Amino acid sequence: LVNVIPHNHDTSIFEFGLPDGVSLDLPVCACILMCAPGREHTEGDAVRPYTPISTNEMTGKFQLLVKCYQQWGDPDKRISNLVDSFKAAGAVS
């Protein structure tokens, strides 16, 4: 994670790094599946799709727009809240 850009009160743009000159090169409407072990409401692994907001012309990074849902359900079970806890310049695996 290279940068977090606040968008509004509960949404941020998360920029993830790629090697220099490399694009995600995803087709239109493709998504990235994010897995969060133990975060599903039934105690299993949660998997959620996120569609990048960056275009394939962006190289060296890609952007995801993520809304954080603090008020609904168990905030510790939300993948968006996990992403929201990431710090810029931190590794994500």
Side-chain angles (χ1 to χ4, degrees):
L1 180 64
V2 295
N3 198 14
V4 179
I5 304 163
H7 183 70
N8 62 30
H9 70 283
D10 64 357
T11 306
S12 295
I13 297 170
F14 293 83
E15 291 186 338
F16 294 89
L18 295 171
D20 286 341
V22 173
S23 167
L24 278 181
D25 199 29
L26 292 175
V28 174
C29 294
C31 66
I32 294 172
L33 294 178
M34 188 173 296
C35 178
R39 285 198 168 245
E40 189 57 71
H41 297 287
T42 59
E43 301 304 320
D45 297 345
V47 178
R48 301 289 184 273
Y50 287 91
T51 304
I53 61 169
S54 49
T55 67
N56 286 331
E57 284 74 36
M58 180 179 279
T59 61
K61 63 184 176 182
F62 67 93
Q63 297 176 324
L64 299 177
L65 181 70
V66 179
K67 180 172 182 165
C68 188
Y69 295 93
Q70 292 287 346
Q71 70 276 21
W72 295 326
D74 182 351
D76 291 334
K77 296 293 183 182
R78 301 260 178 227
I79 290 182
S80 61
N81 293 351
L82 174 64
V83 174
D84 191 50
S85 74
F86 294 163
K87 304 296 182 214
V92 178
S93 59

